[in-house]
Amino acid sequence: MKPIGVFDSGVGGLTVVAALRRRLPAEPVLYLGDTARLPYGTKSAETVARYTQRNVDLLVSRGVKGVVVACNTASAVALPRLRSPVPVWGVIEPGARRAAARSRGRVGVVGTESTIRSDAYGAALRRLRPELAVASEACPLFVPLVEEGWLDDPVTEQIASRYLAPLVARGIDTLVLGCTHYPLLTPLLARLLGPGVGLVDSGEAVAQQLAEDLGRAGLLASGRRHADHFLVTDAAERFGRLAAEILGNPVSLELVELV
Amino acid sequence: MKPIGVFDSGVGGLTVVAALRRRLPAEPVLYLGDTARLPYGTKSAETVARYTQRNVDLLVSRGVKGVVVACNTASAVALPRLRSPVPVWGVIEPGARRAAARSRGRVGVVGTESTIRSDAYGAALRRLRPELAVASEACPLFVPLVEEGWLDDPVTEQIASRYLAPLVARGIDTLVLGCTHYPLLTPLLARLLGPGVGLVDSGEAVAQQLAEDLGRAGLLASGRRHADHFLVTDAAERFGRLAAEILGNPVSLELVELV
């Protein structure tokens, strides 16, 4: 019973684990949070690519049957050069595909500085539907606001209004949440944008993709749910606290040293 | 002409470089920003200690005559175990000494989660003046707000009001800015707290300490100003942009790889 490997720079990727639990309840997950080096979103492409390769190597050495790169930044800048003996899924392509399938013509993308600068969502969306109008905004304060736990807070609402204003002005009908932390802001963002704008969670999209791909390859687990396992590169207590909130149950963490 | 080594996890320590330039205008500085691993403030003491030792080793290998650990988190958790063949100055002790000399009895301390959890300022202040009342607050959003450039902004003001409210309620007369990013918020914090509360910049305090210690040891540079040199562990463009704002002139960066 090989687990699905999932990694992110921190707790954000746990929203992807939550989506996998809903979509593939029998699959065990081996999660790696590279908390010693988070956040990836403000780092250069070269550095993020180096960290990503090392994280995938660790998960492969622990016997996973595939790896989900839950970090949007890593998916955006590191996937093309990645070497892996098992299948690897990024979050950009599934997220872009879902947005392209739903949009009436104008898509907004929010993410970290690195993800937005990479224009990975824009490129994927234009490949799928060249006539789409795509507008992007980096929202560097969203991750620290989520990590502070201010998920539905007047301050967060003001900051979100400011970040989203240019996208609203462009008349977007679909917003891609291009960072795994952002689904935790869904109630607030949905209220701000109103019912005319659909939100796309790339984590949900990649979970659906995985269900399809593993099913096609005959690699789906069956039977009762196996326990997930969580690795972190730094024992910061905040990971455990946020993980329990996101997943709805306490998790035990194994500290691994990666240089 | 050996330079003074200064390191921080990112750009924050440049406020210390600015203080050194004012106080010791002839001293060349060799700065190291460990941008590939920033921020330190949310990481565990063990991880921060490991990074700090490695940063000091690098600066020593480049021939500095002493090292300023400009990062409050590193000063708080890594100094006791640090090995170095040259003198090392942290920012906690000078900052605490200045606050203890100025306070009328009630000191507030703001900093990152790690710095506040370490209670390093509290311990130093109580050692200096056991009768002092010390209250602390972690302000995890201040660093990302500064890095976003929202230095004097209504949102930053609301967040600061919220973080400072418990300290104001305790009647503090002195506030220690226990993170090198925070001096960039001085105008806003001074306005919020009013003229009855003095602000202590630990960077200013360590620069004064250095001037005294180097003078006593006969190690002061003389003559015209020598060029500073800046090392970063990640080539993120944001460092260059923020550095130019903090120091008032563009800086050229040398990328070094540290594992």
Side-chain angles (χ1 to χ4, degrees), chain A:
Chain A
M1 178 59 67
K2 291 184 165 185
I4 298 171
V6 178
F7 92 83
D8 192 8
S9 55
V11 294
L14 294 176
T15 65
V16 179
V17 175
L20 286 170
R21 285 183 175 185
R22 287 190 293 272
R23 183 75 67 165
L24 294 164
E27 298 290 338
V29 167
L30 175 64
Y31 189 86
L32 169 61
D34 189 14
T35 45
R37 269 151 294 259
L38 73 80
Y40 283 12
T42 49
K43 297 188 169 69
S44 69
E46 290 64 35
T47 296
V48 170
R50 188 153 43 89
Y51 293 167
T52 301
Q53 182 65 56
R54 199 204 43 191
N55 295 343
V56 169
D57 291 347
L58 174 76
L59 289 168
V60 166
S61 77
R62 295 278 190 124
V64 298
K65 66 182 171 191
V67 174
V68 178
V69 179
C71 176
N72 278 266
T73 302
S75 296
V77 306
L79 278 199
R81 287 172 278 182
L82 198 66
R83 296 176 305 282
S84 167
V86 299
V88 173
W89 291 267
V91 286
I92 306 281
E93 197 64 33
R97 209 171 302 129
R98 182 173 281 207
R102 295 184 177 184
S103 175
R104 299 182 301 279
R106 292 170 184 275
V107 179
V109 180
V110 284
T112 64
E113 278 188 298
S114 300
T115 299
I116 297 305
R117 194 169 49 228
S118 75
D119 194 35
Y121 276 105
L125 286 163
R126 283 187 297 270
R127 233 178 3 252
L128 294 158
R129 280 180 63 187
E131 85 288 5
L132 280 180
V134 181
S136 304
E137 278 296 324
C139 306
L141 285 165
F142 276 0
V143 168
L145 284 165
V146 167
E147 305 232 324
E148 183 71 320
W150 296 5
L151 302 183
D152 207 344
D153 187 286
V155 159
T156 309
E157 188 162 334
Q158 285 171 65
I159 293 173
S161 302
R162 203 183 292 188
Y163 283 144
L164 296 178
L167 302 179
V168 170
R170 300 279 289 273
I172 60 162
D173 57 66
T174 303
L175 180 68
V176 179
L177 305 180
C179 170
T180 49
H181 279 75
Y182 297 3
L184 298 167
L185 298 174
T186 295
L188 184 146
L189 297 174
R191 196 172 63 237
L192 271 178
L193 292 166
V197 178
L199 299 183
V200 169
D201 175 347
S202 290
E204 287 284 354
V206 77
Q208 186 189 343
Q209 185 73 49
L210 234 75
E212 291 170 15
D213 291 352
L214 292 178
R216 229 187 336 257
L219 287 172
L220 283 174
S222 58
R224 66 167 193 78
R225 165 120 205 121
H226 290 74
D228 295 335
H229 192 68
F230 298 86
L231 313 174
V232 288
T233 55
D234 186 20
E237 65 198 52
R238 61 176 4 211
F239 186 98
R241 178 167 41 84
L242 287 162
E245 273 176 44
I246 294 169
L247 294 175
N249 60 283
V251 301
S252 68
L253 305 176
E254 178 190 341
L255 181 64
V256 292
E257 195 159 322
L258 281 177
V259 287

Side-chain angles (χ1 to χ4, degrees), chain A residues 35-39 42-44 47 51 113 140-141 144-145 148 150 153 155 158-159 162-163 234 236 238, chain B residues 35-39 42-44 47 51 113 140-141 144-145 148 150 153 155 158-159 162-163 234 236 238 241:
Chain A
T35 45
R37 269 151 294 259
L38 73 80
T42 49
K43 297 188 169 69
S44 69
T47 296
Y51 293 167
E113 278 188 298
L141 285 165
L145 284 165
E148 183 71 320
W150 296 5
D153 187 286
V155 159
Q158 285 171 65
I159 293 173
R162 203 183 292 188
Y163 283 144
D234 186 20
R238 61 176 4 211
Chain B
T35 46
R37 269 152 294 259
L38 71 82
T42 51
K43 297 188 169 69
S44 68
T47 297
Y51 293 168
E113 278 187 296
L141 285 165
L145 284 164
E148 183 71 320
W150 296 5
D153 187 286
V155 159
Q158 285 172 65
I159 293 173
R162 202 181 294 185
Y163 283 144
D234 187 18
R238 62 178 2 213
R241 177 168 42 83

Side-chain angles (χ1 to χ4, degrees), chain B residues 35 46 48 53 62 85 108 126 163 170 199 248-250:
Chain B
T35 46
E46 290 65 33
V48 170
Q53 183 65 55
R62 295 280 189 121
R126 283 186 295 269
Y163 283 144
R170 300 281 287 274
L199 299 183
N249 58 284

Side-chain angles (χ1 to χ4, degrees), chain B:
Chain B
M1 179 58 67
K2 291 184 165 187
I4 298 171
V6 177
F7 94 83
D8 191 8
S9 56
V11 295
L14 295 176
T15 64
V16 179
V17 175
L20 287 170
R21 284 184 175 184
R22 285 191 293 273
R23 184 76 63 168
L24 294 165
E27 298 290 337
V29 167
L30 175 64
Y31 188 86
L32 168 61
D34 189 15
T35 46
R37 269 152 294 259
L38 71 82
Y40 283 12
T42 51
K43 297 188 169 69
S44 68
E46 290 65 33
T47 297
V48 170
R50 189 154 41 92
Y51 293 168
T52 300
Q53 183 65 55
R54 198 204 45 192
N55 294 342
V56 168
D57 291 346
L58 175 77
L59 289 168
V60 167
S61 78
R62 295 280 189 121
V64 299
K65 66 182 169 189
V67 174
V68 178
V69 178
C71 177
N72 277 267
T73 302
S75 297
V77 305
L79 278 200
R81 288 173 278 182
L82 198 66
R83 296 176 306 281
S84 167
V86 300
V88 173
W89 292 266
V91 285
I92 306 281
E93 197 63 34
R97 208 169 304 128
R98 183 175 280 207
R102 292 184 180 185
S103 174
R104 297 182 301 279
R106 293 171 184 273
V107 178
V109 181
V110 286
T112 65
E113 278 187 296
S114 301
T115 300
I116 297 306
R117 195 168 49 229
S118 76
D119 192 36
Y121 276 105
L125 285 163
R126 283 186 295 269
R127 232 176 5 251
L128 293 158
R129 279 181 63 187
E131 85 288 5
L132 278 181
V134 181
S136 304
E137 278 297 321
C139 306
L141 285 165
F142 276 0
V143 168
L145 284 164
V146 165
E147 303 231 325
E148 183 71 320
W150 296 5
L151 302 183
D152 206 344
D153 187 286
V155 159
T156 308
E157 188 162 334
Q158 285 172 65
I159 293 173
S161 301
R162 202 181 294 185
Y163 283 144
L164 296 178
L167 302 180
V168 170
R170 300 281 287 274
I172 59 162
D173 57 66
T174 303
L175 181 68
V176 179
L177 305 179
C179 170
T180 49
H181 279 76
Y182 297 2
L184 298 166
L185 298 174
T186 294
L188 184 147
L189 297 175
R191 197 172 61 237
L192 271 177
L193 292 167
V197 179
L199 299 183
V200 169
D201 175 347
S202 291
E204 287 284 353
V206 77
Q208 186 190 343
Q209 186 72 49
L210 235 76
E212 292 169 15
D213 292 351
L214 292 178
R216 228 184 340 253
L219 286 172
L220 283 175
S222 58
R224 66 168 191 78
R225 165 119 202 121
H226 289 74
D228 294 337
H229 192 68
F230 298 87
L231 312 175
V232 287
T233 55
D234 187 18
E237 64 198 53
R238 62 178 2 213
F239 186 98
R241 177 168 42 83
L242 287 162
E245 273 175 45
I246 295 170
L247 294 175
N249 58 284
V251 301
S252 67
L253 305 176
E254 177 189 345
L255 181 65
V256 293
E257 196 159 321
L258 281 177
V259 288

